[in-house]
Amino acid sequence: MPTGRLSAALIALLASLSLALGASATASAHTTRRASACEAHARSTRRHSCKAPIRRGARPKPKPKPKPKPKATKPSVSKKTTPKPATKSTTTTPAPTPAPTPPPVASTAPCANGDLTPDATNIPVVEAATLCLVNQVRGEHGLPALVPNNDLQEAAVQHNNDMISEDYFDHVGPHGDTPLTRIEATGYLNNGNLSYIIGENIAWGTLDLSTPAAIVNAWVNSPDHLANILQPDYTDSGLAVAPEAPASLAQGQPGAIYTQDFGGIDSGDN
């Protein structure tokens, strides 16, 4: 049956700072003047080298020999050091991230109350039996069980009540409501960042054809209904049963009408 799908910076700042240090120097005035007198003498004698002039009769005083400086001796100190204990280098390997555990496959065990005829006193039991039978089919195909969801249950109950009060049997109501609009109104599709997949199966029957076993059997034997039951992306379910069928269909016989709404996150693989 129809399904609906809803589809739901590194800024790096590099700062560089350059700092120029100006080199400074101080020249000796004595050295500069001595060099100038020598250069002038060389120019007047046309020689390429010069010496600083020395006055006659004057002997240059010998330069005193520098007295040897006493050598400083460091005191000898014997220092005993205690060796540090050797440290053991250990390398820890991070534990690998465990893979997500898939949900368990639905049970294929027999379901109780599958032959119960719905009435005003046993609706919760009938609903539980019907969901059990649907999950049993999923388990036979290696799929996980559907989990009851309050929002989907609300949408399913509303649709059952509307089909009885308005006397029709269809996914689209007389006022234009659809499975999508009904489920959306409950808030189930409230995460705009996710892509959902939803679906709906409906059925009605009278007398012994209104039991959970008869209804699920009818769904399994219909390719479109079975496709909904076996949709891998479905994880949630709302399954509602009303203990009567639309009047124009039941024609006075006791019966029941069933709506199962499906929902889940769309993986895009199915």
Side-chain angles (χ1 to χ4, degrees), residues 29-252:
H30 176 74
T31 302
T32 303
R33 288 197 299 265
R34 187 179 180 99
S36 297
C38 184
E39 288 172 2
H41 178 73
R43 285 194 297 270
S44 64
T45 58
R46 296 182 180 181
R47 292 176 181 174
H48 295 292
S49 64
C50 72
K51 292 181 181 179
I54 301 175
R55 290 183 296 174
R56 289 180 181 180
R59 292 182 179 180
K61 294 181 179 180
K63 295 182 180 180
K65 293 182 180 181
K67 295 180 180 181
K69 295 181 180 180
K71 294 182 179 179
T73 58
K74 295 182 179 180
S76 177
V77 178
S78 176
K79 186 177 180 181
K80 186 178 181 181
T81 59
T82 304
K84 295 181 179 180
T87 58
K88 186 177 181 181
S89 176
T90 59
T91 303
T92 57
T93 303
T97 303
T101 303
V105 174
S107 173
T108 57
C111 298
N113 303 311
D115 294 328
L116 201 60
T117 301
D119 61 40
T121 67
N122 62 9
I123 294 304
V125 176
V126 171
E127 290 176 344
T130 308
L131 181 58
C132 177
L133 290 168
V134 169
N135 280 333
Q136 186 183 68
V137 177
R138 287 176 63 88
E140 292 169 354
H141 291 77
L143 296 174
L146 299 173
V147 178
N149 178 273
N150 290 335
D151 291 335
L152 296 179
Q153 184 71 17
E154 178 184 339
V157 169
Q158 173 195 339
H159 192 42
N160 275 352
N161 293 340
D162 193 54
M163 287 190 289
I164 293 171
S165 62
E166 298 286 341
D167 194 16
Y168 74 97
F169 180 73
D170 203 331
H171 294 284
V172 180
H175 306 291
D177 57 291
T178 66
L180 174 59
T181 61
R182 290 190 294 268
I183 293 173
E184 190 174 31
T186 67
Y188 179 77
L189 311 174
N190 60 356
N191 192 334
N193 296 322
L194 296 177
S195 178
Y196 294 86
I197 178 171
I198 60 172
E200 183 176 85
N201 282 351
I202 57 177
W204 70 274
T206 59
L207 303 175
D208 58 349
L209 293 181
S210 65
T211 65
I215 296 297
V216 173
N217 184 64
W219 283 341
V220 168
N221 284 284
S222 165
D224 289 342
H225 294 82
L226 181 61
N228 265 347
I229 292 175
L230 299 182
Q231 167 57 252
D233 286 346
Y234 288 151
T235 56
D236 305 321
S237 168
L239 200 153
V241 180
E244 58 180 303
S248 61
L249 301 175
Q251 297 183 352

